[in-house]
Amino acid sequence: EAIRTAYMALADHDLKTGGASSEAMGSLLRATDYCTTRTQTAQISLLILQVAFAQGNFGQVREYVRKVELTVGSGAMASSSAAASAGGVLGAVASSSPTSGGGTSSILQEVAIKLEIAKGI
C-alpha cells in the first residue's frame, strides 16, 4: 500500500511541478504493480487515462478505457448527474484510500462515472 501510494504521490508531484507527464506516467505504471484490489487498479487506470489524454497518447487512452471497463464491471456503470463536475481526478483519487473506511463500491461507482465522461470525450 505504501509503495503504491508513494508512486501516486510522485506522479502527482511530477504533474504539479511542470507537466513532466512522461515521468508521471512512469510512476503510475509502476504503481499498477502494487495494486492489490480492483478498486486500486481502477483508480490507477483512471489516473493513467488522465495523463494519456494530456500527452495526446490516444492509443493508450483506448487501452486503459477497456481496462477500466473490465475492472469496474458492467454492474457499476450507472451514470449520475454529478458526473459533470468530475474535475481534479488526480487529487480526488489520490486522497481516497480503500483502507480509510470509504465504501469500495462507491469508489468503483465514481470511477465508472468518470470513465463514462472519458468515453464521451
Side-chain angles (χ1 to χ4, degrees), residues 52-95:
F53 271 128
Q55 290 178 333
N57 187 346
F58 299 110
Q60 196 165 31
V61 168
R62 207 169 330 154
E63 174 186 340
Y64 275 89
V65 164
R66 282 190 220 110
K67 185 171 185 164
V68 173
E69 285 177 333
L70 291 173
T71 301
V72 173
S74 59
M77 291 303 210
S79 62
S80 169
S81 61
S85 61
V89 174
L90 189 57
V93 174
S95 66

